[in-house]
Amino acid sequence: MSLYILEGLKPWVIQRVSAVYISLFLLYSLVCGMTVDVVSFDHWRNWLFHPFNSIAFGLFVVAVLFHAWIGMRDVILDYVHNIMLRMSVLALIVGVLVGCGLWVIRILLFSMVGQ
Amino acid sequence: MRFNIYRYNPDVDKKPYIQNYELKDIEPGMMLLAALLKLKEQDETLSFRRSCGEGVCGSDSMNINGVNGLACITPLNELEEPVEIRPLPGLPVVRDLIVDMDQFYQQYREVKPYLIVKDPVPEVELRQTPEQREKLDGLYECILCGCCSTACPSFWWNPDKFLGPAALLQASRFIEDSRDQALEERLENLEGPFKLFRCHTIMNCVQVCPKGLNPTKAIGNIKKKMVTNSL
């Protein structure tokens, strides 16, 4: 961990592994969605709260957040050279991504309670 | 044949400008460097570097019609008119087509471009098998002309932090060398967000290398080596 939250080889590997996982999960979701007779909210909720799908979806969200962080961080490192501005923009992006993660957790919790 | 050439003498000019030239006595098979030498006979103030004239020394690298290359191995009959000639992009201009390559050489030095052997030096030469030697093909031929690094957008964006394709190709050349004993240190030196990992596989370096080398592949091999080494 550092000023840039992961640097060097680790983010490079995470970016590639997360890309593969995101692709596989989207493909799996697409296949699941195409093989059901009726598409409804209740059906989606039942599908999501199947233990396997819950874990897979949780990992998907984590993968998307890390992938987005590393991609955005790369763009900022390339283009924003003023150190104070760079740190501010990076902090803003971390805030937005953490917010998105918390939002997903909130949605899932409400859906669970609803079930 | 018409030429538009970037001119700038910081002692005299307030800002750079483009000067138009015309050369009449073009000979068949003539290279751009020969044309520049003829233009220099017309205008002695025109400045550029050159030495071997055979694509070996890498002195006469410049931006030719928007693409970096060596003037001495660029045939005139392959160039569209007017031929626009500028200094290598991204480096400070000393005068006309001459750029300050201090930073480029500093980055080259940073990868320690020499064999590091920790064992006592043997009395005979350090031997390699033909297979081990083959791994250096495509890596050792670099002439340090700077065409690749100065064509790389990542180098333009972070010239003081990203090492650039030329230095990284040299890093790969010693990482792959079976006689070198500093693999860990070399890989450790390239860690961090800037030195190596600013390469986004844009591949401008591959497009412009006058020796036909592939720095992008070499950089990819360093990353793979880092992964296997960390497992």
Side-chain angles (χ1 to χ4, degrees), chain B residues 2-228:
Chain B
R2 288 171 297 130
F3 296 86
N4 294 346
I5 302 181
Y6 176 101
R7 302 297 311 270
Y8 180 54
N9 180 353
D11 294 336
V12 181
D13 304 321
K14 282 186 181 161
K15 58 179 184 179
Y17 62 96
I18 297 292
Q19 187 164 344
N20 302 324
Y21 292 93
E22 186 144 3
L23 194 64
K24 292 209 164 63
D25 48 343
I26 301 289
E27 294 156 20
M30 199 170 170
M31 297 292 170
L32 177 60
L33 179 62
L36 286 172
L37 289 168
K38 280 185 180 290
L39 290 175
K40 195 172 171 64
E41 287 171 13
Q42 289 178 24
D43 177 0
E44 287 184 345
T45 64
L46 177 62
S47 305
F48 52 90
R49 288 195 182 104
R50 86 279 188 195
S51 184
C52 73
E54 294 179 351
V56 176
C57 70
S59 305
D60 59 348
S61 49
M62 52 189 73
N63 189 271
I64 307 156
N65 278 348
V67 180
N68 291 352
L70 299 179
C72 60
I73 55 169
T74 303
L76 282 179
N77 59 13
E78 287 181 9
L79 297 174
E80 275 185 34
E81 282 192 65
V83 182
E84 188 155 323
I85 305 172
R86 291 170 178 268
L88 289 177
L91 293 178
V93 174
V94 176
R95 180 172 166 162
D96 297 342
L97 303 176
I98 300 172
V99 290
D100 181 353
M101 296 187 74
D102 275 1
Q103 192 168 55
F104 176 81
Y105 292 128
Q106 179 56 40
Q107 288 163 332
Y108 173 62
R109 280 192 288 272
E110 198 167 325
V111 301
K112 297 185 178 160
Y114 42 84
L115 279 181
I116 298 174
V117 181
K118 294 170 184 172
D119 294 341
V121 180
E123 289 183 11
V124 294
E125 66 272 24
L126 291 162
R127 287 183 178 154
Q128 285 186 304
T129 64
E131 293 75 28
Q132 288 169 336
R133 168 61 187 79
E134 206 173 293
K135 285 186 176 177
L136 306 183
D137 288 342
L139 301 173
Y140 78 91
E141 299 94 332
C142 176
I143 57 172
L144 296 175
C145 62
C147 285
C148 58
S149 289
T150 56
C152 173
S154 289
F155 183 82
W156 301 336
W157 297 326
N158 285 292
D160 54 334
K161 299 187 186 80
F162 175 52
L163 291 181
L168 291 170
L169 185 85
Q170 289 300 312
S172 178
R173 181 249 174 273
F174 288 96
I175 285 168
E176 294 295 335
D177 197 313
S178 60
R179 299 164 296 180
D180 192 79
Q181 294 177 340
L183 176 67
E184 300 282 338
E185 294 93 315
R186 290 186 189 281
L187 295 180
E188 183 68 28
N189 182 44
L190 295 174
E191 259 291 354
F194 287 103
K195 286 182 181 177
L196 170 71
F197 288 96
R198 283 306 87 212
C199 172
H200 302 309
T201 330
I202 298 167
M203 296 183 80
N204 279 7
C205 52
V206 181
Q207 192 193 356
V208 299
C209 178
K211 306 302 282 184
L213 307 179
N214 192 335
T216 306
K217 188 180 169 193
I219 292 169
N221 286 339
I222 296 176
K223 289 172 180 170
K224 279 185 207 159
K225 203 92 176 180
M226 278 181 162
V227 173
T228 52

Side-chain angles (χ1 to χ4, degrees), chain A residues 29-42:
Chain A
S29 308
L30 195 69
V31 170
C32 289
M34 286 169 73
T35 50
V36 293
D37 298 329
V38 185
V39 178
S40 66
F41 177 70
D42 286 336

